[in-house]
Amino acid sequence: MSRRLHLNVNILNAGVFGGSWRFPGTDGTASYTIEHYTSIAKKAEEAKLDAVFLADGPSLDPQIRHRTANNLEPTTVLARIAAQTERIGLIGTLSSSYNDPVELARRLGDLDHVSGGRFGWNVVTTAGAVAARNFGRDGEPGHALRYRRAAEFTEQVVAAWAGRTGLVSPQGRPVVVQAGGSADGRRLASRVGEVIFSADQDLDHARAFRAEIRDGAVAFGRRPEDVVVLPGLSTVVGSTEAEARARRELLDEILPGEYARKRLAGQLGVSLDGLSDDEPIPAELLVDPDEAGGSQTFYRVVKTIIDTEKPTLGRLLKKLSGGGGHRILVGTPEQIADDIERWFRAGAADGFNVMPDVLPSGFDDFADHVVPELRRRGLFRTDYEGTTLRDHLGLGLPAAGPYERRPLEAAL
């Protein structure tokens, strides 16, 4: 088949599960060392994955007492990874709300140049009051304002890349990655995104989301095949289904309860104080997702679970496993490959941003057992066919566009 899966690995501290750092045999502080990231990246390159991805926010995590965090700045880590690898793509998260476009264009353009054209920039608007306080603000800017700035910011960065003459990247310019499922986020994705990270629990909804983004790209004068949609996917792999389920149950047991509660309260923007694990979250506490001020993507995912399954708080916390609401697959390599293939062939995804339960062991299981199974089905590459991230993704180089050099939203 001509169409092939795209796979990234999200190197998210000790793993996506909230209790991953407490998992037996895991070094809970490894995410504070550069070797943690470089060793996983080398493994990903051996498995011929498209890219490694680093999530980030310009803030210090106030929940550090409950969970180790990503505390190394992405471009610093990716520069080290670039020096120790040859082909794997490098995607880093940098905020459009708390950076300067000209400075960021140079920093990211230089990393793309020295890596041989392997860099992708994940544009985020940075939700949350913690980051705002880190920059001396009393509160975060409104949702719509953040996205207006993000569109203008991205265009200015792309224009700056187009103006570089002495340091032209082998791939033309870095790949623009975008994540956001709100109405504003979907419009931004259609306008500037080349790789779209999404969060979805339902195949039909994911298929509709992908179609909407591709149709939106056409409305902005772009080709639909120049947009790659990669939902987040957390994996718990076992040699048998029972082994995988036992691993998931242990991860639920070691999840720090206070961390899970505070993370969920932050996502929903409500207080869960006084609510027992045996009670459902009262419906009157929740607003329409379009009215949420933080990340509307994850708010929508979690609210849908609450509305459809009506879980108690305790059940909801375990279902989310202290994560952000990405879909979790538990099973054997064959079962996980079955699900990946089903979503891919149904047009719900062009691939996945893989978030292993525990790092590095969960990624070792995925790379050593799930990837070979996907290859046996003809779904994933056996070797790289090019040297740049655009080569891996099958993306051409779009025009930079006649963007105006105008001041960004002053309110930020």
Side-chain angles (χ1 to χ4, degrees):
M1 62 185 295
S2 59
R3 182 168 170 253
R4 292 282 177 87
L5 269 169
H6 298 290
L7 295 173
N8 300 333
V9 58
N10 184 352
I11 309 179
L12 188 66
N13 50 71
V16 71
F17 278 57
S20 57
W21 61 278
R22 306 171 75 181
F23 194 78
T26 299
D27 179 355
T29 61
S31 61
Y32 296 93
T33 69
I34 192 65
E35 291 75 19
H36 177 71
Y37 302 92
T38 55
S39 63
I40 293 172
K42 290 176 183 178
K43 181 82 174 185
E45 186 168 71
E46 291 174 3
K48 313 304 179 187
L49 266 62
D50 292 68
V52 296
F53 166 58
L54 297 183
D56 191 59
S59 63
L60 293 176
D61 189 344
Q63 297 204 60
I64 190 64
R65 64 178 295 188
H66 303 299
R67 181 184 184 182
T68 53
N70 288 346
N71 286 280
L72 301 179
E73 191 275 326
T75 57
T76 305
V77 175
L78 292 175
R80 183 66 171 268
I81 291 175
Q84 296 194 14
T85 57
E86 296 180 355
R87 299 286 189 90
I88 190 79
L90 316 164
I91 301 176
T93 299
L94 285 302
S95 173
S96 61
S97 296
Y98 301 109
N99 277 295
D100 175 83
V102 175
E103 186 280 328
L104 192 68
R106 180 191 179 193
R107 184 159 29 120
L108 304 188
D110 286 356
L111 179 54
D112 189 49
H113 176 75
V114 301
S115 69
R118 294 191 278 148
F119 187 71
W121 170 36
N122 181 35
V123 183
V124 296
T125 64
T126 308
V130 174
R133 288 195 298 271
N134 197 47
F135 288 84
R137 314 269 171 78
D138 293 332
E140 63 179 316
H143 191 276
L145 176 57
R146 295 202 310 271
Y147 275 92
R148 284 201 303 273
R149 176 183 165 96
E152 296 171 6
F153 188 102
T154 305
E155 289 176 349
Q156 292 193 22
V157 170
V158 171
W161 285 335
R164 289 164 66 95
T165 55
L167 296 173
V168 178
S169 163
Q171 66 174 344
R173 75 173 202 212
V175 174
V176 176
V177 184
Q178 193 275 338
S182 67
D184 293 324
R186 296 194 302 274
R187 179 176 175 81
L188 179 63
S190 295
R191 181 175 173 178
V192 302
E194 297 174 272
V195 174
I196 312 303
F197 292 158
S198 62
D200 229 313
Q201 299 276 344
D202 178 77
L203 184 149
D204 290 335
H205 187 275
R207 182 165 47 198
F209 174 85
R210 178 173 177 267
E212 179 184 350
I213 298 300
R214 288 162 65 90
D215 289 346
V218 171
F220 279 104
R222 305 171 61 202
R223 302 189 311 164
E225 58 268 30
D226 287 337
V227 179
V228 175
V229 179
L230 304 178
L233 182 67
S234 179
T235 55
V236 183
V237 186
S239 59
T240 65
E241 185 174 352
E243 182 181 298
R245 295 200 175 281
R247 181 179 174 101
R248 169 66 192 272
E249 289 171 4
L250 177 55
L251 283 163
D252 286 342
E253 289 175 11
I254 62 177
L255 172 66
E258 188 174 350
Y259 164 81
R261 275 178 166 257
K262 287 186 175 180
R263 180 171 173 82
L264 179 59
Q267 285 179 318
L268 297 179
V270 300
S271 173
L272 300 178
D273 293 345
L275 191 67
S276 77
D277 284 352
D278 297 328
E279 299 176 81
I281 296 177
E284 60 269 19
L285 292 180
L286 305 179
V287 300
D288 185 272
D290 290 335
E291 299 174 13
S295 171
Q296 292 186 4
T297 300
F298 291 114
Y299 190 102
R300 188 182 304 275
V301 168
V302 175
K303 188 175 186 301
T304 298
I305 294 172
I306 293 172
D307 290 343
T308 57
E309 301 181 19
K310 297 179 173 48
T312 62
L313 175 58
R315 281 182 52 210
L316 179 61
L317 293 175
K318 285 196 173 183
K319 182 177 180 69
L320 299 175
S321 294
H326 286 290
R327 198 162 62 98
I328 300 172
L329 287 183
V330 181
T332 65
E334 294 78 13
Q335 289 172 323
I336 290 174
D338 285 345
D339 191 280
I340 288 174
E341 180 173 9
R342 184 167 63 91
W343 275 55
F344 179 65
R345 293 193 183 280
D350 295 300
F352 294 92
N353 200 31
V354 178
M355 304 176 180
D357 54 355
V358 180
L359 292 173
S361 64
F363 181 60
D364 288 342
D365 292 339
F366 185 88
D368 292 342
H369 303 291
V370 179
V371 170
E373 179 62 27
L374 293 171
R375 285 201 183 103
R376 280 193 286 270
R377 303 177 188 210
L379 294 172
F380 194 64
R381 67 171 67 88
T382 57
D383 201 355
Y384 292 115
E385 297 178 0
T387 61
T388 71
L389 180 56
R390 288 187 183 277
D391 289 337
H392 304 340
L393 295 166
L395 294 174
L397 182 63
Y403 303 132
E404 300 177 11
R405 298 278 188 171
R406 58 184 182 275
L408 291 171
E409 294 278 2
L412 290 180

